[in-house]
Protein backbone atom coordinates (compact mmCIF):
# COMPACT_ATOMS: atom_id res chain seq x y z
CA UNK A 1 0.00 0.00 0.00
CA UNK A 2 1.31 3.44 -0.85
CA UNK A 3 1.73 5.68 2.18
CA UNK A 4 -0.11 9.02 2.08
CA UNK A 5 2.24 10.60 4.57
CA UNK A 6 4.89 12.88 3.08
CA UNK A 7 8.59 12.56 3.82
CA UNK A 8 8.76 15.79 5.86
CA UNK A 9 5.82 14.80 8.03
CA UNK A 10 7.14 11.27 8.39
CA UNK A 11 10.54 12.59 9.46
CA UNK A 12 8.83 14.70 12.10
CA UNK A 13 6.95 11.67 13.33
CA UNK A 14 10.00 9.44 13.53
CA UNK A 15 12.08 12.21 15.05
CA UNK A 16 9.48 12.28 17.80
CA UNK A 17 10.03 8.58 18.33
CA UNK A 18 13.77 9.07 18.65
CA UNK A 19 13.35 11.98 21.06
CA UNK A 20 10.94 9.98 23.16
CA UNK A 21 13.37 7.08 23.28
CA UNK A 22 16.12 9.37 24.49
CA UNK A 23 14.00 10.61 27.39
CA UNK A 24 12.71 7.15 28.20
CA UNK A 25 14.82 6.81 31.34
CA UNK A 26 13.48 10.12 32.66
CA UNK A 27 9.94 9.04 31.96
CA UNK A 28 10.51 5.81 33.86
CA UNK A 29 11.79 7.73 36.88
CA UNK A 30 8.85 10.09 36.88
CA UNK A 31 6.33 7.29 36.54
CA UNK A 32 8.11 5.25 39.18
CA UNK A 33 7.69 8.07 41.70
CA UNK A 34 3.95 8.00 41.11
CA UNK A 35 3.32 4.30 40.76
CA UNK A 36 1.34 4.08 43.99
CA UNK A 37 -1.30 6.18 42.25
CA UNK A 38 -1.72 3.41 39.68
CA UNK A 39 -1.81 0.64 42.25
CA UNK A 40 -4.59 2.47 44.10
CA UNK A 41 -6.70 2.98 40.98
CA UNK A 42 -10.29 3.52 42.11
CA UNK A 43 -13.54 1.93 41.07
CA UNK A 44 -14.65 5.38 39.97
CA UNK A 45 -11.78 5.50 37.42
CA UNK A 46 -12.74 2.11 36.03
CA UNK A 47 -16.35 3.23 35.75
CA UNK A 48 -15.24 6.23 33.73
CA UNK A 49 -13.74 3.99 31.05
CA UNK A 50 -16.49 1.37 31.24
CA UNK A 51 -19.74 3.31 31.25
CA UNK A 52 -22.83 1.10 30.97
CA UNK A 53 -23.49 -0.17 27.48
CA UNK A 54 -26.07 -2.53 26.11
CA UNK A 55 -24.53 -6.00 25.88
CA UNK A 56 -23.49 -6.64 22.31
CA UNK A 57 -20.43 -7.97 20.56
CA UNK A 58 -17.41 -6.87 18.56
CA UNK A 59 -15.07 -8.69 16.21
CA UNK A 60 -11.31 -8.41 16.74
CA UNK A 61 -8.89 -9.36 13.95
CA UNK A 62 -5.71 -10.42 15.71
CA UNK A 63 -2.78 -12.79 16.10
CA UNK A 64 -2.76 -16.48 16.83
CA UNK A 65 -0.07 -18.08 19.03
CA UNK A 66 0.30 -16.74 22.59
CA UNK A 67 -1.52 -13.52 21.63
CA UNK A 68 -4.74 -15.52 21.41
CA UNK A 69 -4.25 -17.02 24.86
CA UNK A 70 -3.61 -13.56 26.33
CA UNK A 71 -6.93 -12.37 24.93
CA UNK A 72 -9.11 -15.40 25.58
CA UNK A 73 -7.91 -15.94 29.16
CA UNK A 74 -7.14 -12.40 30.24
CA UNK A 75 -8.26 -9.36 28.27
CA UNK A 76 -11.58 -10.59 26.88
CA UNK A 77 -12.91 -11.96 30.21
CA UNK A 78 -12.02 -8.64 31.85
CA UNK A 79 -13.90 -6.70 29.16
CA UNK A 80 -16.88 -9.06 29.47
CA UNK A 81 -16.96 -8.66 33.25
CA UNK A 82 -17.19 -4.87 32.92
CA UNK A 83 -19.64 -4.63 30.03
CA UNK A 84 -21.44 -7.93 29.49
CA UNK A 85 -20.43 -7.67 25.83
CA UNK A 86 -18.88 -10.50 23.84
CA UNK A 87 -15.80 -10.58 21.63
CA UNK A 88 -15.42 -12.64 18.47
CA UNK A 89 -11.63 -13.11 18.35
CA UNK A 90 -10.36 -13.98 14.86
CA UNK A 91 -6.78 -15.36 15.14
CA UNK A 92 -4.40 -15.24 12.17
CA UNK A 93 -0.74 -15.99 11.53
CA UNK A 94 1.64 -13.04 11.36
CA UNK A 95 1.79 -12.52 7.61
CA UNK A 96 -1.87 -13.42 7.06
CA UNK A 97 -2.97 -10.90 9.68
CA UNK A 98 -1.28 -8.03 7.88
CA UNK A 99 -2.59 -9.06 4.45
CA UNK A 100 -6.17 -9.57 5.63
CA UNK A 101 -6.20 -6.29 7.57
CA UNK A 102 -4.88 -4.32 4.58
CA UNK A 103 -7.42 -5.89 2.22
CA UNK A 104 -10.30 -5.25 4.63
CA UNK A 105 -9.39 -1.58 4.98
CA UNK A 106 -8.91 -1.05 1.25
CA UNK A 107 -12.34 -2.53 0.71
CA UNK A 108 -13.81 -0.32 3.48
CA UNK A 109 -15.06 -3.45 5.21
CA UNK A 110 -17.14 -3.11 8.38
CA UNK A 111 -16.47 -6.73 9.36
CA UNK A 112 -13.84 -5.94 11.99
CA UNK A 113 -14.27 -3.56 14.91
CA UNK A 114 -10.73 -3.73 16.30
CA UNK A 115 -7.45 -4.48 14.53
CA UNK A 116 -4.50 -5.83 16.52
CA UNK A 117 -1.35 -4.64 14.71
CA UNK A 118 2.42 -4.93 14.98
CA UNK A 119 4.25 -1.60 15.34
CA UNK A 120 5.91 -1.40 11.89
CA UNK A 121 2.50 -1.74 10.22
CA UNK A 122 0.86 1.22 11.94
CA UNK A 123 1.44 3.98 9.40
CA UNK A 124 -0.25 1.89 6.71
CA UNK A 125 -3.46 2.03 8.77
CA UNK A 126 -3.49 5.64 9.97
CA UNK A 127 -5.92 6.83 7.29
CA UNK A 128 -8.43 4.15 8.34
CA UNK A 129 -8.19 4.69 12.10
CA UNK A 130 -10.59 6.36 14.52
CA UNK A 131 -9.19 8.58 17.23
CA UNK A 132 -9.68 6.90 20.60
CA UNK A 133 -10.48 9.27 23.44
CA UNK A 134 -10.57 8.65 27.17
CA UNK A 135 -7.55 6.34 27.33
CA UNK A 136 -5.68 6.51 30.64
CA UNK A 137 -1.97 6.58 29.72
CA UNK A 138 -0.49 6.73 33.21
CA UNK A 139 2.38 4.24 33.45
CA UNK A 140 3.16 4.10 29.72
CA UNK A 141 6.75 4.90 28.75
CA UNK A 142 6.34 8.01 26.61
CA UNK A 143 8.04 6.52 23.56
CA UNK A 144 5.31 3.87 23.23
CA UNK A 145 2.63 6.45 22.46
CA UNK A 146 4.73 9.19 20.87
CA UNK A 147 4.62 7.61 17.44
CA UNK A 148 0.87 7.83 17.06
CA UNK A 149 0.45 11.08 18.95
CA UNK A 150 2.95 12.79 16.66
CA UNK A 151 0.53 12.36 13.78
CA UNK A 152 -2.34 13.87 15.74
CA UNK A 153 -4.56 12.31 18.36
CA UNK A 154 -4.36 8.87 19.88
CA UNK A 155 -5.46 6.52 17.10
CA UNK A 156 -3.50 3.40 18.08
CA UNK A 157 -3.09 2.23 21.67
CA UNK A 158 -0.22 -0.10 22.73
CA UNK A 159 -1.37 -3.21 24.56
CA UNK A 160 1.27 -5.96 24.42
CA UNK A 161 4.77 -4.87 25.45
CA UNK A 162 6.87 -7.26 23.44
CA UNK A 163 10.64 -6.80 23.46
CA UNK A 164 13.44 -8.86 21.90
CA UNK A 165 16.29 -9.46 24.37
CA UNK A 166 18.91 -11.89 25.65
CA UNK A 167 18.33 -14.75 28.08
CA UNK A 168 20.68 -17.27 29.68
CA UNK A 169 20.46 -20.20 32.05
CA UNK A 170 21.95 -19.14 35.39
CA UNK A 171 22.51 -22.73 36.53
CA UNK A 172 24.48 -23.61 33.40
CA UNK A 173 26.43 -20.36 33.54
CA UNK A 174 27.55 -21.33 37.03
CA UNK A 175 28.60 -24.77 35.75
CA UNK A 176 30.80 -23.00 33.24
CA UNK A 177 32.27 -20.90 36.04
CA UNK A 178 31.29 -17.74 34.18
CA UNK A 179 29.58 -14.43 34.98
CA UNK A 180 26.73 -12.77 33.06
CA UNK A 181 27.96 -11.25 29.77
CA UNK A 182 28.98 -7.60 29.71
CA UNK A 183 29.63 -7.27 25.97
CA UNK A 184 28.78 -8.87 22.66
CA UNK A 185 32.25 -10.44 22.69
CA UNK A 186 31.28 -12.12 25.98
CA UNK A 187 28.09 -13.46 24.44
CA UNK A 188 29.91 -14.94 21.45
CA UNK A 189 32.58 -16.45 23.70
CA UNK A 190 29.97 -17.96 26.03
CA UNK A 191 28.06 -19.37 23.07
CA UNK A 192 31.14 -21.20 21.81
CA UNK A 193 32.18 -22.32 25.29
CA UNK A 194 28.71 -23.65 26.11
CA UNK A 195 28.68 -25.65 22.88
CA UNK A 196 31.95 -27.32 23.84
CA UNK A 197 31.37 -27.95 27.55
CA UNK A 198 27.66 -28.43 28.23
CA UNK A 199 26.00 -31.87 28.17
CA UNK A 200 24.65 -33.44 25.00
CA UNK A 201 21.13 -32.25 24.25
CA UNK A 202 21.73 -28.73 25.54
CA UNK A 203 22.36 -26.30 22.71
CA UNK A 204 24.30 -23.10 23.17
CA UNK A 205 21.83 -20.74 21.51
CA UNK A 206 18.24 -20.41 20.32
CA UNK A 207 16.25 -17.72 18.55
CA UNK A 208 14.64 -16.82 15.26
CA UNK A 209 17.11 -17.03 12.37
CA UNK A 210 14.49 -18.25 9.92
CA UNK A 211 13.44 -17.05 6.50
CA UNK A 212 9.89 -16.30 7.49
CA UNK A 213 8.54 -17.26 10.92
CA UNK A 214 7.01 -14.06 12.23
CA UNK A 215 9.34 -11.33 11.03
CA UNK A 216 12.10 -13.89 10.47
CA UNK A 217 15.76 -13.28 11.15
CA UNK A 218 15.60 -9.73 9.78
CA UNK A 219 13.12 -8.50 12.37
CA UNK A 220 14.21 -10.68 15.26
CA UNK A 221 17.74 -11.92 15.90
CA UNK A 222 19.48 -9.73 13.33
CA UNK A 223 17.61 -6.53 14.20
CA UNK A 224 18.55 -6.56 17.88
CA UNK A 225 22.10 -7.81 17.20
CA UNK A 226 22.55 -5.01 14.67
CA UNK A 227 21.57 -2.43 17.30
CA UNK A 228 23.88 -4.03 19.85
CA UNK A 229 26.82 -3.48 17.51
CA UNK A 230 25.79 0.16 17.08
CA UNK A 231 24.20 -0.19 13.65
CA UNK A 232 20.69 0.42 12.35
CA UNK A 233 18.43 -0.27 9.40
CA UNK A 234 17.29 3.35 9.26
CA UNK A 235 18.84 6.62 10.37
CA UNK A 236 17.62 7.30 13.94
CA UNK A 237 17.38 11.01 13.07
CA UNK A 238 14.50 10.53 10.65
CA UNK A 239 13.58 6.85 10.90
CA UNK A 240 13.38 6.33 7.14
CA UNK A 241 16.79 6.88 5.50
CA UNK A 242 18.55 3.50 5.05
CA UNK A 243 21.95 3.34 6.81
CA UNK A 244 22.58 -0.40 6.81
CA UNK A 245 25.72 -0.32 4.65
CA UNK A 246 28.15 -0.22 7.57
CA UNK A 247 30.84 -2.21 9.32
CA UNK A 248 28.49 -2.62 12.28
CA UNK A 249 26.01 -4.41 10.02
CA UNK A 250 28.78 -6.75 8.83
CA UNK A 251 29.82 -7.53 12.42
CA UNK A 252 26.21 -8.27 13.36
CA UNK A 253 25.86 -10.74 10.47
CA UNK A 254 29.03 -12.52 11.51
CA UNK A 255 27.66 -12.82 15.03
CA UNK A 256 24.49 -14.34 13.59
CA UNK A 257 26.54 -17.03 11.88
CA UNK A 258 28.15 -17.94 15.20
CA UNK A 259 24.71 -18.21 16.77
CA UNK A 260 23.69 -20.58 13.99
CA UNK A 261 26.91 -22.62 14.12
CA UNK A 262 26.56 -23.36 17.83
CA UNK A 263 22.80 -23.08 18.06
CA UNK A 264 19.81 -25.37 18.13
CA UNK A 265 19.67 -27.59 15.00
CA UNK A 266 16.40 -25.91 13.97
CA UNK A 267 17.49 -22.33 14.67
CA UNK A 268 17.19 -21.35 10.98
CA UNK A 269 14.42 -23.80 10.02
CA UNK A 270 11.67 -23.55 12.66
CA UNK A 271 8.29 -24.50 11.21
CA UNK A 272 6.39 -22.40 13.77
CA UNK A 273 7.19 -19.96 16.55
CA UNK A 274 6.01 -22.26 19.34
CA UNK A 275 8.97 -24.52 18.59
CA UNK A 276 11.23 -21.67 19.68
CA UNK A 277 9.26 -21.31 22.93
CA UNK A 278 9.64 -25.01 23.58
CA UNK A 279 13.39 -24.96 22.97
CA UNK A 280 13.56 -22.75 26.07
CA UNK A 281 10.89 -24.47 28.16
CA UNK A 282 12.32 -27.93 27.51
CA UNK A 283 15.76 -26.95 28.79
CA UNK A 284 17.39 -27.48 25.38
CA UNK A 285 18.88 -23.99 25.22
CA UNK A 286 21.63 -22.37 27.28
CA UNK A 287 20.99 -18.88 25.92
CA UNK A 288 19.38 -16.98 23.08
CA UNK A 289 17.36 -14.07 21.76
CA UNK A 290 13.66 -14.18 22.53
CA UNK A 291 10.55 -12.03 22.84
CA UNK A 292 8.67 -11.74 26.15
CA UNK A 293 5.80 -13.84 24.92
CA UNK A 294 8.07 -16.68 23.91
CA UNK A 295 9.15 -17.30 27.51
CA UNK A 296 6.10 -16.09 29.42
CA UNK A 297 5.71 -19.49 31.13
CA UNK A 298 9.37 -20.07 31.91
CA UNK A 299 8.61 -20.26 35.65
CA UNK A 300 5.39 -22.23 35.33
CA UNK A 301 6.12 -25.84 36.40
CA UNK A 302 3.25 -27.10 34.26
CA UNK A 303 4.92 -25.72 31.13
CA UNK A 304 8.62 -25.42 31.89
CA UNK A 305 11.52 -27.65 32.95
CA UNK A 306 13.71 -24.67 33.79
CA UNK A 307 11.70 -23.02 36.56
CA UNK A 308 13.80 -20.47 38.42
CA UNK A 309 16.82 -21.00 36.16
CA UNK A 310 16.37 -18.47 33.35
CA UNK A 311 17.61 -14.87 33.61
CA UNK A 312 16.78 -12.08 31.17
CA UNK A 313 18.63 -8.89 30.22
CA UNK A 314 19.02 -6.38 27.40
CA UNK A 315 21.89 -7.07 25.02
CA UNK A 316 25.08 -5.37 26.23
CA UNK A 317 25.49 -3.09 23.24
CA UNK A 318 28.49 -0.98 22.27
CA UNK A 319 26.50 2.18 23.00
CA UNK A 320 24.65 0.82 26.01
CA UNK A 321 21.99 -1.82 26.74
CA UNK A 322 19.53 -2.49 23.91
CA UNK A 323 16.37 -4.45 23.29
CA UNK A 324 14.25 -4.38 20.16
CA UNK A 325 10.66 -3.19 20.49
CA UNK A 326 7.86 -5.27 19.03
CA UNK A 327 4.85 -3.50 20.49
CA UNK A 328 1.36 -4.59 19.45
CA UNK A 329 -1.42 -2.00 19.27
CA UNK A 330 -5.18 -1.73 18.92
CA UNK A 331 -6.73 0.30 16.11
CA UNK A 332 -10.46 0.94 15.71
CA UNK A 333 -11.34 1.20 11.97
CA UNK A 334 -13.50 4.04 10.74
CA UNK A 335 -15.68 1.50 8.94
CA UNK A 336 -16.76 -0.34 12.11
CA UNK A 337 -20.48 -0.18 12.85
CA UNK A 338 -19.79 -0.69 16.57
CA UNK A 339 -17.08 1.95 17.06
CA UNK A 340 -18.14 3.06 20.54
CA UNK A 341 -18.13 -0.46 21.94
CA UNK A 342 -14.84 -1.10 20.16
CA UNK A 343 -13.31 1.98 21.78
CA UNK A 344 -14.64 0.83 25.12
CA UNK A 345 -12.89 -2.50 24.58
CA UNK A 346 -9.61 -0.69 23.87
CA UNK A 347 -9.94 1.52 26.98
CA UNK A 348 -10.64 -1.45 29.24
CA UNK A 349 -8.15 -3.90 27.76
CA UNK A 350 -5.32 -1.36 27.91
CA UNK A 351 -6.22 -0.06 31.38
CA UNK A 352 -3.92 -0.78 34.29
CA UNK A 353 -6.43 -3.18 35.81
CA UNK A 354 -6.99 -4.94 32.48
CA UNK A 355 -3.27 -5.38 31.83
CA UNK A 356 -2.67 -6.47 35.41
CA UNK A 357 -5.32 -9.18 35.11
CA UNK A 358 -3.90 -10.39 31.78
CA UNK A 359 -0.39 -10.49 33.21
CA UNK A 360 -1.46 -12.41 36.31
CA UNK A 361 -3.62 -14.81 34.30
CA UNK A 362 -1.39 -15.39 31.26
CA UNK A 363 1.94 -13.60 31.95
CA UNK A 364 1.10 -11.10 29.20
CA UNK A 365 3.97 -8.62 28.82
CA UNK A 366 2.33 -5.27 29.61
CA UNK A 367 2.89 -1.92 27.96
CA UNK A 368 2.49 -0.19 31.34
CA UNK A 369 5.72 -0.80 33.20
CA UNK A 370 3.83 -0.02 36.41
CA UNK A 371 2.23 -3.47 36.09
CA UNK A 372 5.69 -4.96 36.74
CA UNK A 373 5.97 -2.70 39.78
CA UNK A 374 2.76 -3.97 41.33
CA UNK A 375 3.37 -5.64 44.70
CA UNK A 376 1.39 -8.69 43.62
CA UNK A 377 3.31 -9.04 40.37
CA UNK A 378 6.68 -8.67 42.10
CA UNK A 379 5.70 -11.42 44.53
CA UNK A 380 4.74 -13.75 41.70
CA UNK A 381 7.16 -12.82 38.93
CA UNK A 382 10.82 -12.95 39.96
CA UNK A 383 11.79 -11.42 36.59
CA UNK A 384 9.62 -8.31 37.02
CA UNK A 385 12.51 -5.93 37.70
CA UNK A 386 14.57 -7.47 34.89
CA UNK A 387 11.69 -6.80 32.48
CA UNK A 388 11.54 -3.15 33.56
CA UNK A 389 15.22 -2.87 32.53
CA UNK A 390 14.40 -4.51 29.20
CA UNK A 391 11.62 -1.95 28.65
CA UNK A 392 13.98 0.91 29.54
CA UNK A 393 16.44 -0.30 26.88
CA UNK A 394 13.82 -0.70 24.17
CA UNK A 395 14.63 0.87 20.79
CA UNK A 396 12.51 0.50 17.62
CA UNK A 397 14.47 -1.04 14.75
CA UNK A 398 11.68 -1.29 12.16
CA UNK A 399 10.81 2.41 11.97
CA UNK A 400 10.11 2.88 8.26
CA UNK A 401 6.70 2.10 6.73
CA UNK A 402 8.51 0.08 4.05
CA UNK A 403 9.20 -2.70 6.56
CA UNK A 404 6.33 -5.06 5.61
CA UNK A 405 7.56 -4.91 1.98
CA UNK A 406 11.24 -5.53 2.68
CA UNK A 407 11.33 -8.05 5.52
CA UNK A 408 10.96 -11.07 3.23
CA UNK A 409 13.72 -10.09 0.73
CA UNK A 410 16.01 -9.12 3.64
CA UNK A 411 15.45 -12.56 5.14
CA UNK A 412 16.30 -14.21 1.83
CA UNK A 413 19.66 -12.43 1.76
CA UNK A 414 20.37 -13.40 5.38
CA UNK A 415 19.51 -17.02 4.55
CA UNK A 416 21.99 -17.02 1.67
CA UNK A 417 24.66 -15.62 3.97
CA UNK A 418 23.95 -18.23 6.66
CA UNK A 419 24.19 -20.93 3.98
CA UNK A 420 27.62 -19.59 2.90
CA UNK A 421 26.38 -18.37 -0.49
CA UNK A 422 27.33 -14.76 0.26
CA UNK A 423 30.03 -12.98 2.22
CA UNK A 424 28.92 -10.73 5.06
CA UNK A 425 30.02 -7.68 3.09
CA UNK A 426 28.07 -8.66 -0.04
CA UNK A 427 25.00 -9.56 2.02
CA UNK A 428 24.99 -6.16 3.71
CA UNK A 429 25.32 -4.35 0.38
CA UNK A 430 22.41 -6.31 -1.05
CA UNK A 431 20.25 -5.68 2.01
CA UNK A 432 21.06 -1.98 1.94
CA UNK A 433 20.07 -1.81 -1.74
CA UNK A 434 16.73 -3.45 -0.96
CA UNK A 435 16.05 -0.75 1.65
CA UNK A 436 17.14 2.07 -0.65
CA UNK A 437 15.16 0.86 -3.68
CA UNK A 438 11.93 0.43 -1.73
CA UNK A 439 12.39 3.74 0.09
CA UNK A 440 12.78 5.52 -3.27
CA UNK A 441 9.77 3.71 -4.68
CA UNK A 442 7.70 4.97 -1.75
CA UNK A 443 9.07 8.52 -2.12
CA UNK A 444 10.73 8.52 1.31
CA UNK A 445 14.23 9.39 0.12
Amino acid sequence: MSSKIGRRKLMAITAGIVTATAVGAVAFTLFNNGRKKEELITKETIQQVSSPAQASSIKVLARSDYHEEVHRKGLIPYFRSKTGAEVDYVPKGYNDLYSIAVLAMRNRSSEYDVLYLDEPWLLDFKEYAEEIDGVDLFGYPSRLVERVRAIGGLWAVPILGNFNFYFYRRDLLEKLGESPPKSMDDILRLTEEASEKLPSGVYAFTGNLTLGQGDGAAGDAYAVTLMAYGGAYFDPKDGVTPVLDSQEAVEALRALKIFKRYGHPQIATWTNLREIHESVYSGEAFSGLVWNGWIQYVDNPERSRVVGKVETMPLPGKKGPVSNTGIWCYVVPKFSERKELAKQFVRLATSYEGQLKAHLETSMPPTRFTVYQSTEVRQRNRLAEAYVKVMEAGIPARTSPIWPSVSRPLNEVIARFLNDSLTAEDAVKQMHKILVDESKRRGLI
Side-chain angles (χ1 to χ4, degrees):
M1 177 190 304
S2 296
S3 173
K4 295 187 178 181
I5 299 172
R7 171 175 166 78
R8 180 173 297 177
K9 191 169 186 180
L10 183 60
M11 289 176 67
I13 293 165
T14 51
I17 302 170
V18 175
T19 301
T21 301
V23 300
V26 176
F28 267 78
T29 302
L30 292 174
F31 281 129
N32 184 55
N33 290 338
R35 70 178 182 269
K36 293 299 180 183
K37 173 185 173 184
E38 182 108 44
E39 293 179 358
L40 298 175
I41 190 167
T42 64
K43 292 182 179 179
E44 180 181 357
T45 304
I46 291 298
Q47 288 169 354
Q48 290 173 358
V49 297
S50 58
S51 56
Q54 182 178 358
S56 182
S57 66
I58 57 171
K59 180 177 284 191
V60 178
L61 178 64
R63 273 287 277 122
S64 53
D65 201 56
Y66 69 90
H67 303 262
E68 182 174 2
E69 188 168 19
V70 160
H71 280 84
R72 293 198 186 280
K73 294 184 178 180
L75 298 171
I76 291 174
Y78 178 72
F79 171 68
R80 186 187 300 120
S81 73
K82 295 295 179 181
T83 65
E86 295 296 329
V87 175
D88 181 6
Y89 187 89
V90 183
K92 299 294 179 182
Y94 186 85
N95 295 326
D96 286 344
L97 171 58
Y98 175 75
S99 300
I100 293 169
V102 167
L103 184 61
M105 294 303 97
R106 285 177 176 173
N107 291 336
R108 304 174 67 86
S109 171
S110 62
E111 181 177 2
Y112 304 110
D113 305 299
V114 177
L115 305 177
Y116 180 71
L117 304 173
D118 196 7
E119 68 177 352
W121 305 343
L122 289 178
L123 286 177
D124 278 339
F125 292 86
K126 167 62 177 74
E127 63 184 291
Y128 308 118
E130 280 279 315
E131 185 173 349
I132 306 173
D133 59 347
V135 178
D136 171 25
L137 295 176
F138 181 83
Y140 273 97
S142 59
R143 67 185 179 278
L144 296 193
V145 294
E146 187 68 25
R147 184 178 193 183
V148 291
R149 277 187 155 177
I151 302 176
L154 189 67
W155 53 272
V157 185
I159 174 59
L160 188 131
N162 221 8
F163 294 84
N164 199 207
F165 52 87
Y166 182 72
F167 86 90
Y168 64 90
R169 289 268 300 276
R170 186 183 64 252
D171 59 324
L172 297 181
L173 190 72
E174 291 172 354
K175 283 187 177 182
L176 294 174
E178 294 280 3
S179 301
K182 296 181 179 180
S183 67
M184 287 303 298
D185 286 343
D186 282 348
I187 287 179
L188 298 181
R189 178 179 56 79
L190 285 172
T191 300
E192 185 171 358
E193 184 179 354
S195 180
E196 294 173 352
K197 296 182 179 180
L198 290 179
S200 174
V202 178
Y203 303 103
F205 207 85
T206 193
N208 189 4
L209 272 64
T210 66
L211 182 63
Q213 291 303 318
D215 237 1
D220 286 9
Y222 184 64
V224 70
T225 303
L226 174 65
M227 290 191 295
Y229 276 98
Y233 282 120
F234 308 102
D235 189 340
K237 294 178 182 178
D238 63 24
V240 296
T241 303
V243 292
L244 187 63
D245 193 3
S246 66
Q247 185 57 35
E248 291 81 4
V250 171
E251 291 177 7
L253 268 185
R254 289 172 177 163
L256 219 63
K257 183 164 285 188
I258 291 175
F259 295 153
K260 182 192 176 189
R261 182 183 306 156
Y262 299 111
H264 193 285
Q266 291 178 263
I267 196 168
T269 59
W270 304 110
T271 59
N272 62 75
L273 293 176
R274 283 197 175 273
E275 292 177 343
I276 308 178
H277 312 187
E278 293 306 320
S279 70
V280 181
Y281 295 150
S282 66
E284 293 179 335
F286 161 68
S287 66
L289 296 172
V290 291
W291 298 90
N292 301 61
W294 293 359
I295 60 170
Q296 67 190 112
Y297 297 114
V298 74
D299 282 338
N300 183 338
E302 295 181 359
R303 302 282 293 271
S304 171
R305 296 180 182 177
V306 290
V307 173
K309 298 177 180 179
V310 167
E311 302 294 338
T312 62
M313 59 180 281
L315 275 175
K318 289 186 176 181
K319 299 179 181 179
V322 297
S323 63
N324 180 20
T325 61
I327 308 302
W328 288 77
C329 299
Y330 290 133
V331 166
V332 174
K334 291 179 179 179
F335 314 121
S336 166
E337 296 177 352
R338 295 168 290 274
K339 286 194 284 285
E340 292 310 311
L341 188 60
K343 291 178 184 179
Q344 192 173 21
F345 171 79
V346 173
R347 295 185 197 108
L348 285 165
T350 62
S351 70
Y352 172 77
E353 186 174 309
Q355 292 197 33
L356 177 62
K357 175 179 174 60
H359 178 75
L360 294 174
E361 292 291 332
T362 69
S363 298
M364 181 195 84
T367 42
R368 297 175 187 266
F369 71 86
T370 43
V371 171
Y372 285 128
Q373 294 175 329
S374 157
T375 300
E376 185 175 7
V377 169
R378 286 178 176 270
Q379 290 174 345
R380 294 174 57 174
N381 186 346
R382 67 180 178 86
L383 295 172
E385 183 57 36
Y387 281 134
V388 171
K389 292 179 180 178
V390 166
M391 292 181 79
E392 287 179 314
I395 302 172
R398 306 164 298 166
T399 54
S400 173
I402 71 168
W403 185 259
S405 312
V406 300
S407 59
R408 178 77 185 189
L410 291 177
N411 279 322
E412 290 172 350
V413 175
I414 292 173
R416 292 199 295 273
F417 165 72
L418 292 177
N419 291 329
D420 299 319
S421 298
L422 288 173
T423 66
E425 290 81 3
D426 287 342
V428 165
K429 289 184 184 300
Q430 289 187 23
M431 293 166 71
H432 182 74
K433 186 176 186 302
I434 290 168
L435 298 178
V436 169
D437 289 349
E438 183 63 12
S439 297
K440 289 180 177 178
R441 190 185 73 82
R442 294 283 291 269
L444 298 174
I445 60 174

